[in-house]
Amino acid sequence: MVVLGIAAAALVAAFLLVDLQGNLAYVLPRRLNRVGAMVLVAAAVGVSTVLFQTVTGNRILTPSIMGLDALYILIQTVLAFALGASTLLTLGAPLRFAVEVTLLVAFSWLLYRWLFTGGGHSLHLLLLVGIVFGVFFRGTSSLLQRLMDPSEFIILQDLFFASFNRVDPMLLLISAVVVAGLCVPAWRLRHRLDVLALGRDTAVGLGVDHRRTVTLVLVICSVLVAVSTALVGPATFFGLLVSALAYQLCSSFRHAVVLPIAVLLGVIALVGGQLVLEQVFEFDTALSIVIEFTGGIVFLALLLKGRIR
C-alpha cells in the first residue's frame, strides 16, 4: 500500500509538472482540475465496485450491471434526439449534471425499493432486472441513434466515453463532497463487509443485519456510480480492472486493505495512463478506450479462469 501510494503521488506530481510551460496561471489550474477528476473517479469507481462485488458474492460483476451506464447513454441520446446534439452541448453543465444524477439515482432507488420491499427480496432478482433494464436502455438508445442525423450522432458519440477534459470545476467540487461523504460510511462498514464476504448465512449467524447492510451498500454504490458517470461519462470495465488487480495484489481479503489499494490502483491507471498518452503518444487515442479495452480483456480472463464466482 505504501509503494502504491508513493507511485500514485509521483505520477500526480509528474502529470502536474512535466512539460509545464506557458501561462502557469492558466495551465496549472486546468491540470489540477483534471487530476482532481481522475482521483475522484478512481475513488468512486474503486470503492463502489469492491462493495458491489462483496454484497453480490461475485468478482466479475460491477455496478454497471444494474444498467446505470446504459441509462446514462439513453439520457444523452434522448436529449440529443429531442433538442439536437449541438443544443445539448450548449446546455449549462450544472443543469445537465443535476438531471443526470437525479435520474440515475432515482432509477436505482426505485429498483431497490421495488425489489427489497416487495415479496421477493432477492439480490439475484435485482441483478437480473438490472440486466434486463440495461438491455432495454441500450436497445432504445440504438433505435434513436439510427433515427438521428449522422452529423448529430457524431457529436453525441463523444459523450459515450469518459473524458476528463470537460469537467466543470464547480461540479468537481460538488462531486468531491458527495464522494467523500459516501466513502466515510463505506469505510465504517469495512468490518461488516468482511463478514458479508463469508456468505449470507454466515453473516446472519454472526449477527449482521444482512438486508439492511446490503441495501445501504447498494445505495452507496448507486450514488457513487451516478456521480462519477454524470461527471466524466461511463467507464464500464474500469472498476472491474482495478478491483481484480487489487485482489491479486492483496495478501488479505480485509476491506481495510482492499479498498485503499483499489483506489490507489485507479489513480495510477488514470493519471499514469493519461500521462503516457499525452507525453508519448501525443493524444493519438482516448484514455477511456484503452482502459475499456484492457478491462474487457480482464473480464474475459476472469470468465475463462472460472475460479472466481
Side-chain angles (χ1 to χ4, degrees):
M1 192 183 303
V2 174
V3 173
L4 291 176
I6 295 174
L11 287 172
V12 168
F15 183 85
L16 292 174
L17 301 177
V18 169
D19 199 24
L20 185 63
Q21 56 187 352
N23 187 354
L24 298 184
Y26 173 77
V27 176
L28 192 57
R30 289 177 60 86
R31 291 194 179 187
L32 285 171
N33 191 64
R34 295 171 63 194
V35 167
M38 295 178 196
V39 173
L40 185 144
V41 170
V45 175
V47 171
S48 62
T49 303
V50 172
L51 264 59
F52 190 81
Q53 291 177 345
T54 298
V55 298
T56 58
N58 194 316
R59 291 192 203 159
I60 64 172
L61 294 179
T62 64
S64 61
I65 198 69
M66 302 305 303
L68 294 180
D69 288 353
L71 179 57
Y72 170 83
I73 294 177
L74 177 62
I75 294 171
Q76 305 299 325
T77 304
V78 170
L79 291 175
F81 185 81
L83 305 176
S86 301
T87 305
L88 174 61
L89 295 179
T90 58
L91 290 177
L95 177 60
R96 286 176 50 198
F97 180 81
V99 170
E100 291 161 3
V101 171
T102 301
L103 291 176
L104 291 172
V105 174
F107 167 72
S108 302
W109 181 81
L110 290 173
L111 193 61
Y112 299 155
R113 181 178 177 83
W114 173 48
L115 291 176
F116 282 100
T117 60
H121 312 312
S122 172
L123 184 61
H124 297 92
L125 178 60
L126 174 66
L127 296 174
L128 179 60
V129 173
I131 294 173
V132 172
F133 270 113
V135 174
F136 172 73
F137 293 151
R138 292 185 182 91
T140 306
S141 301
S142 178
L143 174 62
L144 294 177
Q145 290 162 15
R146 291 177 181 273
L147 298 175
M148 293 176 60
D149 183 86
S151 59
E152 296 283 326
F153 175 71
I154 292 175
I155 299 175
L156 175 65
Q157 198 172 25
D158 292 336
L159 300 176
F160 294 166
F161 300 97
S163 174
F164 302 96
N165 298 322
R166 56 174 182 260
V167 177
D168 184 90
M170 182 56 65
L171 296 182
L172 177 61
L173 178 60
I174 296 173
S175 301
V177 172
V178 175
V179 170
L182 291 173
C183 286
V184 171
W187 179 254
R188 296 180 63 180
L189 287 171
R190 63 190 184 279
H191 300 304
R192 269 189 279 176
L193 292 170
D194 292 340
V195 179
L196 281 180
L198 300 176
R200 182 184 183 280
D201 295 337
T202 303
V204 172
L206 292 174
V208 174
D209 189 339
H210 185 270
R211 178 183 173 187
R212 180 180 178 183
T213 305
V214 168
T215 303
L216 177 60
V217 169
L218 290 176
V219 170
I220 292 174
C221 292
S222 298
V223 179
L224 287 176
V225 174
V227 170
S228 172
T229 304
L231 185 68
V232 302
T236 306
F237 289 111
F238 176 61
L240 178 66
L241 177 63
V242 296
S243 64
L245 291 176
Y247 280 113
Q248 290 295 321
L249 292 177
C250 288
S251 58
S252 170
F253 292 105
R254 292 185 298 114
H255 286 77
V257 179
V258 177
L259 286 173
I261 286 183
V263 173
L264 290 173
L265 286 173
V267 174
I268 291 172
L270 292 178
V271 178
Q274 189 66 38
L275 182 64
V276 171
L277 287 179
E278 291 185 7
Q279 301 299 326
V280 178
F281 297 102
E282 299 180 351
F283 299 97
D284 283 344
T285 187
L287 176 62
S288 59
I289 297 176
V290 178
I291 290 178
E292 294 300 293
F293 176 75
T294 307
I297 294 177
V298 172
F299 177 74
L300 293 176
L302 291 176
L303 285 179
L304 294 175
K305 190 175 181 180
R307 292 185 299 176
I308 300 179
R309 297 181 182 272

